[in-house]
Amino acid sequence: MADMENTSDERSDTFFASLDQLFTTLEPVIKEASSVEAAEDILNNLEATDENFHRYDFVCQLRNRIDEALGPVIDTRLEQIGGEGNTNEHLSQIADEVQSSKEFLSLQQSILADTKEAVNLLVSLLLQ
């Protein structure tokens, strides 16, 4: 149990550090935005507009967590389907199944909890 808590604490610390790095990197771009809506637009389109998007530690961590949690679910389902039928139909079905899986829900809750914790810590540091 202590190992799980240490792993969770390490993950939270790493998550916080990577989110802080992302905010620090994007701060000049966000400050240049003419409004809150413009800043939101920049952030919502970051993947398409920032050539370094996939290099950010935060993005890499999210991708790794998704791969670890959902990769086995997807692989198992792909093995079950094999080469049968319409690939697009199967992919849509697999996507629906993954989004309704307990693994997806657990991942979603974990990321949300870690994000809330990191943002609360960042805010408290800014207020000091």
Side-chain angles (χ1 to χ4, degrees):
M1 186 74 167
D3 286 342
M4 285 181 57
E5 287 178 18
N6 287 342
T7 301
S8 179
D9 288 344
E10 288 173 19
R11 186 184 71 214
S12 292
D13 291 346
T14 305
F15 196 81
F16 167 77
S18 67
L19 189 59
D20 184 44
Q21 175 210 31
L22 180 65
F23 286 151
T24 301
T25 303
L26 297 176
E27 183 178 13
V29 175
I30 293 170
K31 282 184 175 181
E32 288 179 16
S34 58
S35 66
V36 172
E37 291 79 19
E40 287 177 356
D41 189 51
I42 290 168
L43 294 175
N44 286 334
N45 294 299
L46 198 57
E47 183 175 13
T49 59
D50 187 340
E51 64 186 33
N52 294 312
F53 179 80
H54 292 281
R55 293 186 189 120
Y56 291 126
D57 198 33
F58 181 77
V59 174
C60 292
Q61 282 188 43
L62 286 178
R63 186 177 329 122
N64 287 339
R65 287 174 73 172
I66 291 167
D67 288 347
E68 288 173 8
L70 303 180
V73 175
I74 295 168
D75 290 342
T76 299
R77 190 63 182 114
L78 286 172
E79 287 173 10
Q80 291 171 345
I81 291 173
E84 304 170 10
N86 182 341
T87 304
N88 288 336
E89 183 180 312
H90 288 306
L91 292 177
S92 177
Q93 181 183 5
I94 291 172
D96 290 342
E97 290 174 11
V98 167
Q99 289 178 340
S100 62
S101 70
K102 68 181 187 312
E103 292 85 357
F104 182 84
L105 181 61
S106 177
L107 175 65
Q108 187 178 36
Q109 291 172 340
S110 172
I111 290 172
L112 181 61
D114 288 347
T115 302
K116 284 181 179 180
E117 181 181 337
V119 168
N120 287 335
L121 185 54
L122 284 169
V123 168
S124 70
L125 290 173
L126 286 172
L127 296 175
Q128 291 181 357

